[in-house]
Amino acid sequence: VAEWCGACKTTKPLIRQFSKRLSDLAVFLVIDIDENEEIANHFNVSAVPTIMLLRDGNTLGHIKEQIKGSGPDTGSKLAALLFFNIF
């Protein structure tokens, strides 16, 4: 995420919801790319928001596209990514 990113601000609540519901299965982190450039570069983050699923440092899947607002498909994409890789 980035403070200047409008789509990031609308995506954060969605991530918080999943974090609460799946707290026993996954850890959710929100990282500001401006404050953590090294992490953003390591994972080749080129657009925000970028949502990634990692296990043992390896990328299992990602939603790496410009998300306009909190679009109705953002939640379903995130749910599919999580449930496909967690269950």
Side-chain angles (χ1 to χ4, degrees), residues 5 8 11 16-17 19 26-27 31-32 34 38 46 56 64-65 73-74 79 86:
C5 171
C8 296
T11 303
R16 281 191 208 109
Q17 287 177 355
S19 178
V27 175
I31 298 172
D32 186 315
D34 293 326
E38 187 174 316
S46 59
D56 299 324
K64 195 172 188 176
E65 58 195 47
D73 63 335
T74 302
I86 290 178

Side-chain angles (χ1 to χ4, degrees), residues 47-80:
V48 290
T50 293
I51 300 171
M52 303 179 80
L53 180 63
L54 305 169
R55 180 176 291 145
D56 299 324
N58 298 310
T59 304
L60 298 178
H62 64 276
I63 303 170
K64 195 172 188 176
E65 58 195 47
Q66 186 64 32
I67 301 169
K68 305 280 188 218
S70 61
D73 63 335
T74 302
S76 59
K77 285 181 181 180
L78 180 55

